[in-house]
Amino acid sequence: MIDLLVPNESEVLALAERSESGAFDQDRVIDALLEKGPRAVLITLGAGGVIYGEGEARVRRSAHAVQAVDTSGAGDAFIGAFAAAPVSGKPLASAIDFAQRAASISVTRRGAMPSLAYKHEME
């Protein structure tokens, strides 16, 4: 009954088999999560960007380079912007980019709620 599962990197690391270097195979993790039932998986990787998987399709996006001062609330900023993007008619790739802008702005400010960006700042 889940359309989109959005774990962050820490949550995925708890679920994933890791290599000796501590890295995990993103595609393998997405496939394993998709087998559990969600229609799609979007893994947020902090400064590493995001990876979206639906069936065999994958969309990878790099994060915006910013000087982070506080990452609390970044996931909430991302999810909120991502959820709002389709209402504006944005396709998937644009929704991801929009959400990444929101998260990138949020990490440059202190606090969770005060760090949330206004829509005009992301456009």
Side-chain angles (χ1 to χ4, degrees):
M1 303 290 294
I2 295 173
D3 288 321
L4 178 63
L5 178 64
V6 188
N8 64 35
E9 186 173 24
S10 298
E11 293 161 341
V12 167
L13 286 173
L15 301 171
E17 293 180 29
R18 290 176 241 170
S19 68
E20 291 179 21
S21 68
F24 63 93
D25 182 323
Q26 296 171 348
D27 291 311
R28 182 180 284 164
V29 169
I30 287 177
D31 289 340
L33 292 172
L34 288 172
E35 286 178 15
K36 294 184 182 294
R39 182 183 58 79
V41 174
L42 176 62
I43 301 173
T44 60
L45 301 167
V50 300
I51 180 170
Y52 174 89
E54 183 174 354
E56 298 296 318
R58 300 292 185 266
V59 175
R60 291 175 168 81
R61 291 286 189 262
S62 299
H64 299 278
V66 296
Q67 183 64 43
V69 296
D70 184 358
T71 60
S72 60
D76 295 326
F78 181 92
I79 295 295
F82 184 78
V87 175
S88 303
K90 293 183 184 346
L92 175 67
S94 295
I96 291 172
D97 293 339
F98 183 73
Q100 284 190 285
R101 284 194 300 278
S104 294
I105 291 169
S106 77
V107 300
T108 65
R109 303 173 182 169
R110 298 210 180 275
M113 288 297 291
S115 71
L116 296 176
Y118 289 94
K119 183 179 176 186
H120 73 271
E121 293 176 291
M122 298 183 310
E123 296 175 340

